[in-house]
Amino acid sequence: MTQAAPDMRNSLAASEPGAAPLVHLDIGGMTCAACSARIEKVLSRKPGVLRATVNLPLETAVIQTDGSVTAADIISAVEATGYTASERSTGWQEEKRRQDEADARVRRDERRTLLLLVFSALMSAPMVASMAAAPFGVMLMPPAWAQAVLAGLVQVLVGRRFYVGAFKALAGGGANMDVLVVLGTTAAYGYSLALTVLAWPQEPGHLYFEASSVILTLILFGKLLEMRAKRTTTAAIRALSELKPQVAHKIAGDDIETVPVESLFPGDAILVRPGERVPVDGIVRDGASEVDEALLTGESMPVAKAVSDEVIGGTINGSGALTVEVSAVAGDSKLASIIRLVENAQNSRAPVQKLVDKVSAIFVPVVVLVALATFAGWWFSGAGLDAAIGATVAVLVIACPCALGLATPTALVAGTGAAARAGILIRDIEALETAHSVNTVVFDKTGTLTRGAPTVTDIRSFDGNQNRLLLIAASAQLPSEHPLAGAIVAAARERGLDLSRPASFRAIAGQGIVAEIAGEQVLIGNRRLLETHSIDTFLVQQIFREFEAQGKTCAGIAVAGRAVGVIAMADTLRDETPVAQRRLAAMDIETVMLTGDTEAVARAVAAEAGIGRVIAGVAPEGKAETVSELTSAGRTVAMVGDGVNDAPALAAASVGIAMGSGAEVAMETAGITLMRSRPDLVADAIDISRATVRKIRQNLFWAFIYNVVGIPLAALGMLTPALAGAAMALSSVSVVTNAALLRRWRTKEARK
């Protein structure tokens, strides 16, 4: 029975009447965007497949079928292309196991790549040092046979992954970066090895062993950066899954059993004790408490729960015990829906990272054709074999994508380094490529534009003595752990008031507290608490209405049976929020507030912040849909949030920006994280994105301009292989130097 619940956790689309069946696969063996594109192409052509989406970072595939094709058929089609595939398990426990294994595998591959990088750098060092010393008249170049051994080790051990990737790409009818790497390095190494063998035992002329080994070293460095970005992507789903409790207290007659959450079914009764996380979605059948829903709904204030109220799995219960009737099993809970939304949004992201591979797919055949034409032209012109081989090798050497491989990682390292020093963590190239074109920024309210915690804003004492009212209210609530009580106590301590603990204290869930101070009864709470104790609330209710219209939360205070005042609290704006809106407006970027709060509260905060457009009353599930609607309208949208409830919207946006003080899952989902919770850093994040993308494009230009100019010269015999190698090295130097200029970037605040 324990396994029944996980088996029920199917895709929403698959469970709906008339929906096309979906097949979810885990894919192994992909190394670049061309791999995922190849699998998509093969699957899309298979009869019975309506649509196929392959996600390279997550190593997953979602295939929509017409029902006539099985998962086994689809797996066979994937394996026929040279990759591994397995049907993706959907049980919670199995999913967590799979996520842990995938994370361990990526970390293992990353460590292996790092070791290979160190090995490759050490093997290349003697040849690189010799090249650097040559202009100063110092000749340290190792003998040709030693160079052949050092470069050969790099070519075999480090180059293996590129040879495998190139073979798969060519077998699939395409060409990627691996093909370019293999062509260039094999040409440089093979030509040098041939010269070494032919000249033995004499020393040959100029060799290109160092070119082949350095190319592989630098390209491998770029691969390492990609792997690290890939590993952080998968952490979003794992962080969400960890919010879900593993066990629940099931009520069975007069007994209470601790059971796995997966064994619960709708209609079961469970006990949620004070301070525990609610295991699943349900309806309160007995008890009263206040539940912290901030992680899932963004609501900064605990929400009072009584009989017939709904509770959400993953939220945290307050001081009261609740008996809850299960309304949704684990796979159908709101938390599970949020996880699916994050997965779906990540799978539907635009594949910006395919840019270089798309260019390579055209570039490689052109280079091969030019090389073949060069050899044929020189051979048939009667120039001789040496001239034909020399010109052909020159073409292949100058076309080797050293600068092309460096163009993105060098700019990425320089740009992200400058951003990190400013407290802006840019996670991957996709975030960079997208953020520069953002024209709409959607802000979550609670914890993003606001501080995310209540503070005292108004004290209305009926006798005019604010300090006395605050002293009574704070002293009475010293034993309380309620956030509103904490705000009142903090306000009293800021004023230096001398607080004393009450003689007695009792919290009433959903209403307030009853305490005794100096022999008098003190009531602090909402209207219901005061009315229950027969307090005249006429004046209190007028003040409540005044403050609530401003989006504030009120606490009425009564002493010895008489109302004495009202204290209002609110989640106040961050100091940098208005500045952030002005800066974004100056950049011609529209700002939007998206919140689950009421229209009145949202409008009040937006007016103070300077935001013109407000979308209020949006449930967690609706945030991603709202962001998707904005993007489908042709807008490039950045979503800024901090909570678990923001994770689907962060993933659905063109680029997600998370506040560093927020939930871990928000930071894992977002492409950009602001390590300091300052909304004005959003403008800086977009600015560094624009600067970095400019550098990437400039680098790609320099990487290709040498080929555009150099390949014809090499084909005409105007460039020897030595000059071709020098031009290739010069292109790499220009790319690295240009990217290094990004280190001078500073935030607007730092430039003042």
Side-chain angles (χ1 to χ4, degrees):
M1 184 172 176
T2 303
Q3 294 301 319
D7 293 341
M8 296 174 65
R9 184 179 177 264
N10 298 320
S11 168
L12 288 177
S15 63
E16 293 173 358
L22 295 180
V23 176
H24 297 262
L25 299 181
D26 289 317
I27 306 293
M30 295 188 294
T31 59
C32 68
C35 298
S36 57
R38 173 63 181 159
I39 297 173
E40 283 185 2
K41 192 181 202 180
V42 169
L43 292 179
S44 298
R45 290 176 176 175
K46 186 172 181 61
V49 173
L50 303 179
R51 182 182 179 187
T53 303
V54 179
N55 186 291
L56 174 63
L58 297 181
E59 295 184 322
T60 61
V62 179
I63 301 94
Q64 189 177 20
T65 74
D66 60 8
S68 64
V69 63
T70 66
D73 295 333
I74 296 174
I75 289 173
S76 298
V78 173
E79 291 177 342
T81 64
Y83 304 93
T84 62
S86 60
E87 193 165 6
R88 193 176 190 192
S89 173
T90 54
W92 279 95
Q93 294 293 336
E94 181 63 21
E95 183 173 334
K96 186 176 186 304
R97 182 195 63 77
R98 178 185 58 77
Q99 290 167 357
D100 290 341
E101 287 182 355
D103 185 57
R105 184 175 64 255
V106 171
R107 289 178 182 274
R108 188 166 56 250
D109 291 345
E110 187 179 323
R111 286 194 297 269
R112 187 182 297 116
T113 301
L114 180 60
L115 289 175
L116 275 176
L117 179 63
V118 173
F119 170 80
S120 185
L122 291 175
M123 294 298 100
S124 305
M127 294 177 285
V128 174
S130 302
M131 288 179 60
F136 302 98
V138 181
M139 305 306 295
L140 300 174
M141 187 64 72
W145 64 266
Q147 295 181 54
V149 171
L150 292 174
L153 289 172
V154 175
Q155 196 74 26
V156 173
L157 298 178
V158 178
R160 178 181 178 275
R161 65 173 59 198
F162 299 106
Y163 280 100
V164 171
F167 175 78
K168 287 183 178 180
L170 293 173
N176 60 1
M177 276 284 293
D178 291 341
V179 174
L180 287 174
V181 173
V182 167
L183 275 177
T185 58
T186 302
Y189 182 81
Y191 179 68
S192 300
L193 184 62
L195 289 180
T196 301
V197 172
L198 293 174
W200 182 264
Q202 302 298 321
E203 285 291 310
H206 187 82
L207 301 176
Y208 306 99
F209 287 125
E210 79 286 344
S212 65
S213 59
V214 169
I215 288 167
L216 289 172
T217 302
L218 295 174
I219 299 297
L220 190 65
F221 173 66
K223 290 287 186 184
L224 182 63
L225 292 179
E226 293 175 9
M227 294 175 71
R228 290 186 172 176
K230 176 180 174 181
R231 174 165 55 84
T232 58
T233 304
T234 61
I237 308 300
R238 185 173 61 257
L240 273 172
S241 300
E242 289 174 354
L243 289 177
K244 178 185 173 295
Q246 300 300 310
V247 297
H249 307 302
K250 182 179 179 180
I251 300 174
D254 295 331
D255 297 327
I256 297 177
E257 304 173 356
T258 300
V259 300
V261 170
E262 286 82 2
S263 68
L264 296 176
F265 285 91
D268 288 344
I270 60 173
L271 175 66
V272 184
R273 293 167 177 158
E276 289 184 341
R277 199 176 286 276
V278 179
V280 292
D281 296 356
I283 306 296
V284 177
R285 294 307 180 200
D286 187 35
S289 185
E290 289 172 333
V291 177
D292 182 359
E293 298 182 344
L295 284 175
L296 291 177
T297 67
E299 174 56 57
S300 57
M301 305 293 183
V303 180
K305 299 293 182 181
V307 175
S308 298
D309 288 338
E310 180 186 16
V311 290
I312 304 172
T315 57
I316 302 173
N317 187 26
S319 58
L322 297 174
T323 299
V324 176
E325 178 184 332
V326 177
S327 62
V329 295
D332 296 324
S333 67
K334 288 191 176 181
L335 179 58
S337 298
I338 289 175
I339 292 175
R340 285 195 291 271
L341 285 169
V342 172
E343 289 177 327
N344 293 339
Q346 288 184 337
N347 275 317
S348 63
R349 279 180 169 181
V352 182
Q353 68 272 19
K354 293 182 179 179
L355 174 62
V356 174
D357 284 314
K358 284 183 177 179
V359 173
S360 301
I362 301 172
F363 184 60
V364 174
V366 170
V367 171
V368 173
L369 289 175
V370 170
L372 291 175
T374 299
F375 182 85
W378 283 90
W379 175 259
F380 289 114
S381 68
L385 182 62
D386 288 343
I389 291 177
T392 302
V393 170
V395 169
L396 291 174
V397 168
I398 200 169
C400 192
C402 183
L404 186 63
L406 284 171
T408 293
T410 52
L412 182 62
V413 169
T416 53
R421 288 191 294 272
I424 302 167
L425 178 61
I426 300 177
R427 305 177 66 85
D428 53 49
I429 183 60
E430 184 175 343
L432 282 174
E433 290 257 302
T434 307
H436 84 282
S437 60
V438 164
N439 50 31
T440 303
V441 176
V442 178
F443 285 97
D444 169 55
K445 179 182 74 68
T446 304
T448 303
L449 295 174
T450 65
R451 300 180 185 278
T455 57
V456 173
T457 58
D458 301 271
I459 302 174
R460 193 71 62 84
S461 175
F462 295 168
D463 65 2
N465 191 334
Q466 292 187 358
N467 282 350
R468 179 176 179 275
L469 180 66
L470 187 58
L471 175 64
I472 293 171
S475 296
Q477 295 187 100
L478 272 177
S480 177
E481 296 181 357
H482 195 286
L484 295 181
I488 292 175
V489 171
R493 285 177 173 159
E494 285 178 6
R495 297 194 181 197
L497 302 180
D498 188 13
L499 307 182
S500 57
R501 298 187 71 84
S504 65
F505 174 88
R506 179 167 59 94
I508 302 176
Q511 297 185 33
I513 64 103
V514 179
E516 182 183 334
I517 296 179
E520 293 184 324
Q521 185 188 64
V522 177
L523 304 174
I524 305 175
N526 55 24
R527 296 181 180 89
R528 184 178 174 187
L529 175 70
L530 300 182
E531 290 170 352
T532 300
H533 288 78
S534 303
I535 304 297
D536 182 2
T537 61
F538 177 76
L539 184 56
V540 169
Q541 293 203 49
Q542 286 185 316
I543 299 173
F544 269 36
R545 283 192 290 269
E546 175 189 343
F547 287 139
E548 287 173 351
Q550 302 171 21
K552 299 176 181 178
T553 300
C554 301
I557 298 99
V559 178
R562 184 172 60 88
V564 295
V566 174
I567 294 179
M569 288 152 284
D571 186 7
T572 57
L573 278 182
R574 296 183 185 274
D575 295 338
E576 303 84 9
T577 296
V579 176
Q581 309 313 309
R582 290 195 295 270
R583 286 192 58 193
L584 291 171
M587 299 169 72
D588 293 324
I589 296 175
E590 180 188 10
T591 54
V592 180
M593 179 192 291
L594 179 63
T595 178
D597 270 346
T598 63
E599 187 81 18
V601 172
R603 290 289 178 190
V605 173
E608 187 179 355
I611 298 176
R613 186 176 179 185
V614 176
I615 304 175
V618 181
E621 300 89 337
K623 287 190 174 183
E625 182 179 349
T626 301
V627 170
S628 297
E629 289 174 356
L630 290 172
T631 55
S632 62
R635 310 293 292 177
T636 304
V637 179
M639 172 69 196
V640 187
D642 72 323
V644 172
N645 64 303
D646 300 319
L650 289 169
S654 306
V655 59
I657 302 178
M659 305 291 278
S661 61
E664 181 180 352
V665 66
M667 291 182 280
E668 296 292 354
T669 306
I672 299 175
T673 297
L674 308 181
M675 302 309 290
R676 294 178 291 162
S677 296
R678 296 179 50 143
D680 59 331
L681 286 177
V682 173
D684 289 313
I686 295 174
D687 184 56
I688 184 59
S689 169
R690 291 176 176 178
T692 306
V693 168
R694 280 197 301 269
K695 289 301 179 187
I696 290 174
R697 290 176 175 175
Q698 290 168 8
N699 284 352
L700 289 174
F701 169 79
W702 286 115
F704 281 110
I705 196 65
Y706 284 95
N707 289 322
V708 171
V709 175
I711 288 177
L713 294 178
L716 294 172
M718 300 174 67
L719 281 180
T720 65
L723 288 176
M728 182 190 66
L730 182 60
S731 68
S732 300
V733 171
S734 64
V735 162
V736 173
T737 303
N738 188 48
L741 296 176
L742 273 174
R743 297 176 183 174
R744 300 184 299 179
W745 181 88
R746 296 290 184 273
T747 64
K748 185 171 183 178
E749 182 186 24
R751 293 195 295 265
K752 291 180 180 178

